[in-house]
Amino acid sequence: MGATDGFVRIVADEDSEIALFNPAMQDLMALSPERIHELEPWEIFRTRETHGTEKTIADRTRAAGEPMRGIETEILSHDDETREVVVSSTPMYDSMGEITGTVTAIRDVTELRRKERELTATHEQVADRLADVVERLEDIPRQVAANAERIQDDAVGPDQKPAEALADT
């Protein structure tokens, strides 16, 4: 992700034209600044391919007239890499209270989610192993009783009681 803090920051006007963006956007979407200005926002974020719509979260924010925060979604970069992201977008207003655009922040959480999945898998493996250990521990009293019975049978004989065995000696 280049020399950025990892947060994509985008300012778009009321017509969804991207006015400003930071280098993290170029890194995340695998696009040059020139190419970003040539494309519509839905083309940049490939929402038609990933979500079957040309509406971006910024479009939805402008339509709702209120912020949208912490939306987890996937985007497809222009090098065909699927990225898991968290998006927050808020409308910008002019002095008359009219929406003039949006400010959107996107955080790539792909590696974090991958590590979470690995941690979950490890947790499940440990839980399975622990369940096996507990099952074996719970079986110890039965095993001890069976072994004690076998030892007694070996010392006394299977048909004799311990008192009868002592009387024979």
Side-chain angles (χ1 to χ4, degrees):
M1 228 189 239
T4 68
D5 62 5
F7 278 97
V8 172
R9 293 175 183 86
I10 305 162
V11 177
D13 66 19
E14 67 270 9
D15 297 321
S16 297
E17 294 295 320
I18 294 177
L20 297 171
F21 57 90
N22 66 341
M25 181 169 162
Q26 294 168 235
D27 293 344
L28 180 66
M29 297 313 301
L31 286 171
S32 68
E34 298 78 28
R35 188 79 175 116
I36 289 171
H37 287 296
E38 293 171 358
L39 300 172
E40 295 293 325
W42 65 267
E43 292 173 309
I44 293 168
F45 296 105
R46 300 177 75 177
T47 58
R48 183 187 292 164
E49 294 168 74
T50 56
H51 302 290
T53 182
E54 292 183 4
K55 296 287 182 197
T56 65
I57 291 173
D59 293 329
R60 292 173 34 206
T61 299
R62 275 190 302 282
E66 56 187 54
M68 300 181 82
R69 294 186 180 99
I71 298 170
E72 293 206 27
T73 190
E74 289 183 345
I75 58 172
L76 185 60
S77 72
H78 287 263
D79 58 5
D80 292 326
E81 190 173 340
T82 299
R83 307 301 296 177
E84 296 172 68
V85 296
V86 176
V87 182
S88 294
S89 187
T90 190
M92 295 185 312
Y93 299 92
D94 64 14
S95 61
M96 304 297 286
E98 297 296 317
I99 295 176
T100 60
T102 55
V103 176
T104 303
I106 302 172
R107 178 70 171 183
D108 184 353
V109 294
T110 305
E111 282 303 305
L112 175 63
R113 295 300 180 255
R114 182 189 62 76
K115 289 176 182 177
E116 287 173 346
R117 286 187 292 274
E118 287 176 1
L119 186 58
T120 297
T122 300
H123 174 76
E124 289 169 357
Q125 290 171 355
V126 169
D128 289 346
R129 289 180 184 160
L130 186 55
D132 289 343
V133 168
V134 168
E135 187 176 312
R136 284 183 280 176
L137 287 173
E138 288 173 342
D139 195 41
I140 288 176
R142 185 197 59 76
Q143 292 174 4
V144 168
N147 286 337
E149 189 175 309
R150 195 170 322 123
I151 291 169
Q152 181 178 342
D153 287 347
D154 290 347
V156 179
D159 297 329
Q160 291 182 317
K161 295 182 181 168
E164 292 172 355
L166 288 176
D168 290 342
T169 56

